[in-house]
């Protein structure tokens, strides 16, 4: 390895350690922080952001990136001329170095365009906004959160202007979470998807829905928790390299591929959120645990993009965890755990219950079919906040109107409406679209896995997931961020993002439950 | 406030934030870290130490300290000449600034004498040594820990040489934990104490000991945990500014006075370690919670010294929590919680059980009378490791021989001998003496409190602790590190450290249980 790349990597390892530390503080903030510790934590996180930003945007790193770019270009050229390719895993070779430089150049350019004062204000503002959101949500009072969100929207607009964009400021925000995607791409994808999805939703609405009453009973929380852990242990989530804790809003965070934390919220009166939340988080978690050790302490030691990440949480939650085969294997276990509650319900009914399609108010509890409508709504609202077409003070009513238009429902209060998601309080505007992009990718990837692993369905029916996990590790997880999500998707599936996979999956699966669908 | 002091404080606030962050990572390491996350955590902690050390030892901070020293001196002189003293709390005035400069100058001189490579190696070595110690202890195999401890002893000797000392290298280590104390001071204090303590221990050994069988029963762990929490809530430990978690080795750590974490280990078969461990930790915790808000994000926002800290954990654990009055109030509660286990035992017998004197192997479970002998043993051994008179490989046998000489007991294995304490794995050589210094201070302080709060005993008997806590906050806690522990002790009690208070307390209390003592 050339000297400049090595020196650059040494500098970046320090940055990665500090980012890991910052993530530990964020994790603790959402899991164990005592209420009066919020202010001090805000200072600590802001300081870490400041130190990271100062170190990362230093001239020295800028020069090392430039020199490394030249070195990489020379090496690629030499390889092409010599018509040889180094053997060994991509994670230790030239491809990884090229990926590293791509990722670092992009982050460097983004970061150097932001003054450190902006970064510190952003960290402080969001550290205070998150607990305010929590309180606002529990009291169902948007006004408690409103000044925080106003500050955040201002900061996001400031950020977009500083970073720059081609068409509209939202591009700059989206690009943070899904590098390479533009607002126009998302809009086109969503318009197309909606036009094909709405007839399916309408058709299902005409049919008789299976009952989901079985899910709404009193389920002992500890038993729920343990059942979820048992299943993700079978999936292959490695508890020597991770753990699950409780938090108000479930999330996954990692400090290294050897230290991945997932969180879940268990509802004593409703089985689905806790259990499927655990599977979802485990999907994210196994992605991070699967990143090659060679990439440790580099900026490549993370999933490729949020969309690709979501494809994995959705794949394990839905393609696996809501499949008929899965419940063939696990329903008897669940029945044994809750004999009184599940005595009168057979496996097929339970499978139908967890797949009941029903427009609802809460995104994280939405069924697979209507889920994307929740995301589209958020995308449109946050885009309008950034363009300035929508003011924060008008957000609750805009939310409620769109909910009525898209899902035929009106939230009874802000807690089940505009306050339900944590993302805006974290300053993560531009994040939501990745949920739908990931959902679409998940089907495309799972279709490929099924082709290459012909026994996959049958294996899921036996609770054997090692081939699937191995295939995903080999094709996706181990690469970390070496490839962009678009390139990675094409490498794995042979084609660009194509929503017809997901639509076919929905038609086939829900056709099996509801009868033929358009 | 003068410009240089203000600029210095801004720089120090960043350092304090980073230290807080580092403490969060250490807390997590001992409470929730998954096993394979150890290496990444070691990197993160080492990087934080490196960044803190680089920033703190910068020339800029050195110059600001010099300028601030001059400013303070001028201000003090002006005050003396004007014969006025500013009103208002010490925490916001000249005295606090003088304390700040004293603390920072000392730390700066210590830190600049250590090369950053040493600091990083120290952090990495101890981050790996702690899990190795944990494993060694659970397998009772000193050899698993030996190479780590050898590395640590070498690093400590290197550190002592770099920092410098007057008489012997151990001085430099002790001074880290108890600024102003020398090895010779400790030796003199301990020799004197031992000569007066051994006759008491011997006299007690001749008498009939009360039974402690009642403490060795099966006590539901959750109930034990909750009882401890109820008591420290009564003490005044503020759960809005702190929390308690489980860990293998109990400790207290703070990230701010508004975020104080204590940990406890509950033993299902033995009541004392969990309960008294909780009181002990709460004593440390309330000290940190009581530091004045004006000192936040400065190096003064911590207890004065480890000895002074220990005086507070011991005061709440022993002077309060093992007193007859305390159990008059709380024994009925405990009996109601464990009706079957405690049916046949009256309050006086329980009080005698928790105060049974019995030479034992484990320091943290030792009674008040023999406790200091455990500390003296460790002081002598670690001092010999640092002078080179004792090699790590000979430590287990040296330990066992001294245990036999001091307490008449020989450990059956390393887990209940040389491996029982976490401190050496943390690189904290020089720490142990502060346990005895704190024990001696606790009696001296409590005697003063009793004089100034004539109803104190009676209040403890009613479970009212707000006067005691308020008195301690006012006289000790709120000052943080403004005063050295020696100065603070003299301010509070009117005299220098004087072990006769503790000896009188022991004679009186245990004379009441065992009959007249010499």
């Amino acid at each position: 390895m050339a000297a400049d790349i090595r020196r650059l990597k040494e500098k970046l390892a320090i940055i990665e350690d500090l980012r890991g530390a910052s993530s530990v503080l964020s994790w603790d903030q959402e899991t164990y922080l005592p209420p009066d510790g919020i202010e001090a934590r805000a200072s600590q996180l802001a300081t870490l952001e400041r130190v990271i930003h100062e170190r990362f945007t230093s001239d020295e790193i800028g020069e090392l990136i430039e020199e490394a770019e030249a070195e990489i270009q020379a090496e690629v050229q030499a390889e092409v001329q010599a018509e040889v390719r180094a053997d060994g895993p991509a994670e230790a070779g030239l491809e990884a170095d090229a990926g590293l430089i791509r990722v670092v150049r992009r982050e460097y350019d983004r970061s150097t365009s932001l003054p450190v004062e902006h970064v510190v204000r952003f960290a402080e503002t969001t550290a205070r906004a998150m607990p305010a959101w929590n309180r606002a949500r529990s009291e169902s009072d948007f006004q408690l959160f409103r000044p925080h969100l106003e500050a955040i929207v201002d900061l996001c607009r400031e950020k977009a202007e500083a970073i720059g964009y081609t068409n509209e400021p939202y591009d700059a925000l989206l690009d943070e979470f899904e590098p390479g995607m533009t607002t126009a791409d998302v809009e086109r994808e969503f318009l197309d998807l909606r036009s094909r999805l709405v007839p399916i939703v309408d058709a299902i609405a005409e049919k008789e829905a299976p009952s989901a009453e079985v899910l709404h009973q009193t389920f002992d929380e500890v038993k729920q928790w343990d059942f979820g852990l048992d299943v993700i242990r079978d999936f292959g989530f490695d508890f020597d390299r991770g753990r699950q804790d409780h938090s108000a809003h479930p999330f996954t965070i990692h400090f290294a591929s050897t230290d991945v934390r997932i969180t879940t919220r268990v509802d004593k009166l409703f089985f689905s959120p806790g259990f499927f939340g655990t599977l979802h988080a485990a999907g994210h978690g196994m992605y991070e645990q699967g990143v090659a050790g060679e990439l440790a302490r580099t900026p490549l030691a993370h999933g490729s993009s949020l969309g690709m990440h979501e494809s994995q949480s959705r794949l394990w939650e839905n393609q696996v965890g809501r499949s008929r085969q899965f419940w063939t294997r696990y329903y008897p276990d669940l029945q044994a755990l809750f004999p009184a509650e599940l005595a009168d319900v057979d496996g097929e009914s339970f499978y139908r219950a967890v797949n009941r399609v029903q427009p609802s108010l809460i995104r994280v509890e939405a069924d697979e079919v209507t889920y994307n409508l929740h995301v589209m709504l958020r995308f449109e609202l946050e885009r309008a906040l950034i363009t300035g077409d929508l003011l924060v003070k008008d957000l609750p009513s805009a939310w409620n109107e769109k909910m009525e238009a898209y899902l035929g429902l009106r939230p009874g209060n802000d807690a089940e409406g505009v306050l339900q998601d944590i993302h805006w309080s974290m300053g993560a505007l531009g994040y939501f679209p990745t949920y739908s992009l990931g959902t679409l990718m998940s089907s495309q990837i799972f279709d490929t896995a099924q082709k290459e692993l012909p026994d996959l369905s049958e294996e899921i029916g036996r609770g054997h997931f090692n081939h699937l996990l191995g295939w995903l590790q080999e094709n996706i997880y181990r690469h970390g961020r070496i490839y962009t999500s678009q390139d990675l998707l094409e490498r794995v599936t042979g084609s660009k993002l194509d929503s017809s996979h997901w639509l076919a999956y929905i038609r086939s699966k829900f056709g099996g439950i509801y009868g033929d669908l358009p």
Side-chain angles (χ1 to χ4, degrees), chain A residues 296-316:
Chain A
R297 300 182 78 215
T298 78
L300 298 180
H302 311 271
S304 172
S305 75
L306 285 192
M308 186 57 77
H309 235 297
E310 191 70 8
S311 79
Q312 295 312 299
S313 55
R314 294 261 138 201
L315 186 151
W316 287 99

Side-chain angles (χ1 to χ4, degrees), chain A residues 264-439:
Chain A
T264 294
R265 178 167 52 98
V266 170
D267 185 338
K268 198 176 180 172
L269 300 173
F270 185 15
F271 173 78
S272 299
F275 180 70
F276 291 108
T278 297
L279 306 196
H280 183 96
H284 283 303
M286 290 188 292
Y287 191 171
E288 292 300 339
Q289 290 183 335
V291 172
E294 289 86 349
L295 303 181
R297 300 182 78 215
T298 78
L300 298 180
H302 311 271
S304 172
S305 75
L306 285 192
M308 186 57 77
H309 235 297
E310 191 70 8
S311 79
Q312 295 312 299
S313 55
R314 294 261 138 201
L315 186 151
W316 287 99
E317 177 191 357
N318 293 332
Q319 266 90 354
V320 175
R322 289 187 207 260
S323 69
R324 185 175 269 122
Q325 307 90 291
F326 176 86
W327 287 107
T328 307
R329 162 66 187 78
Y330 285 98
Y331 188 63
D333 289 4
L334 188 65
Q335 243 178 343
L337 204 59
F338 296 108
E341 294 79 0
L342 303 179
D344 303 331
V345 179
D346 62 25
E348 178 63 19
S349 305
F350 193 83
Y351 164 69
R352 287 166 178 259
V354 301
N355 284 297
R356 182 174 197 246
V357 179
Q358 173 82 41
S360 64
L361 292 167
I362 305 295
R363 176 184 60 84
V364 295
E365 295 172 5
D367 60 80
E368 289 183 74
V369 180
T370 59
Y371 182 82
N372 287 321
L373 297 172
H374 290 263
V375 175
M376 291 171 193
L377 170 152
R378 285 155 178 77
F379 163 64
E380 289 163 19
L381 292 176
E382 63 182 17
R383 187 186 180 190
L385 288 172
I386 294 302
T387 56
D389 293 340
L390 176 64
L391 296 175
V392 170
K393 75 175 173 59
D394 300 323
L395 184 60
S397 57
W399 178 288
N400 294 347
E401 279 157 29
K402 259 196 207 300
M403 274 304 287
E404 194 139 23
Y406 288 8
L407 287 148
L409 296 168
R410 214 178 165 86
N413 57 52
D414 291 341
E416 59 184 29
V418 67
L419 287 174
Q420 67 183 268
D421 289 311
I422 198 173
H423 305 64
W424 289 338
S425 78
M426 297 162 62
L429 281 82
Y431 186 127
F432 280 120
T434 67
Y435 285 139
S436 284
L437 297 173
T439 303

Side-chain angles (χ1 to χ4, degrees), chain A residues 69-117:
Chain A
E69 281 172 335
E71 280 175 12
I72 289 284
Q73 213 160 14
E75 281 186 52
V76 171
Q77 220 141 27
E79 234 183 37
V80 171
Q81 281 171 1
E83 288 181 10
V84 296
R85 261 187 81 93
D87 277 345
E91 288 67 34
L94 185 55
E95 224 167 342
D97 283 347
L100 179 77
I101 298 302
R102 187 197 80 246
V103 165
V104 174
R105 160 59 68 197
R106 177 180 160 279
E107 284 188 11
Y108 186 79
D109 289 346
R110 283 181 69 94
S111 297
T112 48
S113 64
L114 293 170
V116 68
E117 285 64 36

Side-chain angles (χ1 to χ4, degrees), chain A residues 446-459 465-472 475:
Chain A
F446 197 71
D447 281 354
T448 310
Q450 281 187 305
K451 245 179 256 158
E452 299 190 12
L453 303 169
D455 298 333
L456 181 55
S457 275
E458 185 260 334
E459 286 176 358
F465 305 101
N466 55 333
H467 287 152
L468 175 60
L469 180 59
W471 186 88
L472 292 166
N475 288 287

Side-chain angles (χ1 to χ4, degrees), chain A residues 5-281:
Chain A
I5 297 187
R6 204 177 51 239
R7 276 175 52 219
L8 178 61
K9 282 186 180 173
E10 283 166 14
K11 299 277 167 200
L12 294 174
I14 302 280
I15 307 277
E16 281 301 301
D17 283 343
L18 293 171
R19 286 182 178 153
S22 173
S23 295
V24 176
L25 268 64
S26 297
W27 170 84
D28 179 74
Q29 174 166 281
E30 298 303 313
T31 50
Y32 295 110
L33 186 76
D36 289 358
I38 289 167
E39 274 294 315
R41 183 55 48 88
S43 289
Q44 290 152 357
L45 281 167
T47 288
L48 275 170
E49 287 309 308
R50 173 197 290 276
V51 171
I52 290 166
H53 189 267
E54 281 175 2
R55 292 185 84 105
F56 183 59
T57 58
S58 70
D59 293 344
E60 193 188 359
I61 290 211
E63 285 155 23
L64 284 171
I65 294 173
E66 254 175 60
E67 287 154 14
E69 281 172 335
E71 280 175 12
I72 289 284
Q73 213 160 14
E75 281 186 52
V76 171
Q77 220 141 27
E79 234 183 37
V80 171
Q81 281 171 1
E83 288 181 10
V84 296
R85 261 187 81 93
D87 277 345
E91 288 67 34
L94 185 55
E95 224 167 342
D97 283 347
L100 179 77
I101 298 302
R102 187 197 80 246
V103 165
V104 174
R105 160 59 68 197
R106 177 180 160 279
E107 284 188 11
Y108 186 79
D109 289 346
R110 283 181 69 94
S111 297
T112 48
S113 64
L114 293 170
V116 68
E117 285 64 36
H118 172 91
V119 174
V120 171
R121 254 190 309 134
F122 203 97
E124 282 171 349
T125 305
T126 54
R128 284 182 194 115
M130 283 192 276
W133 163 76
N134 242 321
R135 209 169 45 249
R137 179 171 173 245
S138 74
E139 298 180 21
S140 194
D141 181 356
F142 181 75
Q143 293 309 321
L144 292 176
F145 180 50
R146 179 182 147 184
H148 296 273
L149 185 55
E150 283 170 343
I152 285 170
V153 169
D154 286 346
L155 281 167
C156 284
R157 297 175 71 177
E158 204 178 303
K159 184 170 162 180
E161 292 304 327
I163 289 172
Y165 48 85
T166 317
N167 293 315
E168 60 177 279
Y170 189 83
D171 285 341
L173 305 180
L174 174 67
D175 189 71
E176 178 173 346
F177 304 106
E178 201 64 25
M181 273 273 173
T182 66
T183 315
D185 293 337
V186 171
E187 189 178 31
R188 195 174 45 248
E189 201 67 58
F190 281 10
L191 283 177
D192 172 63
L193 182 63
R194 199 160 77 206
S195 70
R196 299 200 275 167
L197 180 56
V198 167
I200 299 177
V201 174
D202 289 347
I204 289 177
E206 308 265 296
K207 316 225 176 184
E208 199 191 336
S211 163
E213 266 176 47
V214 60
L215 304 171
H216 296 273
Q217 303 183 72
T218 302
F219 293 102
D220 177 80
E221 287 155 296
V222 174
K223 284 191 197 172
Q224 280 196 61
W225 185 264
D226 291 344
F227 181 65
L229 291 187
D230 285 345
V231 169
I232 66 173
R233 195 175 283 114
D234 286 355
F235 279 180
F237 183 87
D238 185 348
F239 286 91
D240 284 342
R241 298 156 72 99
R243 52 177 291 118
Q244 176 170 273
D245 294 87
H246 296 269
S247 75
H249 193 95
F251 64 95
T252 305
I253 198 166
H254 63 285
F255 319 139
S257 68
T258 50
D259 192 355
V260 177
R261 311 286 176 104
I262 64 178
T263 72
T264 294
R265 178 167 52 98
V266 170
D267 185 338
K268 198 176 180 172
L269 300 173
F270 185 15
F271 173 78
S272 299
F275 180 70
F276 291 108
T278 297
L279 306 196
H280 183 96

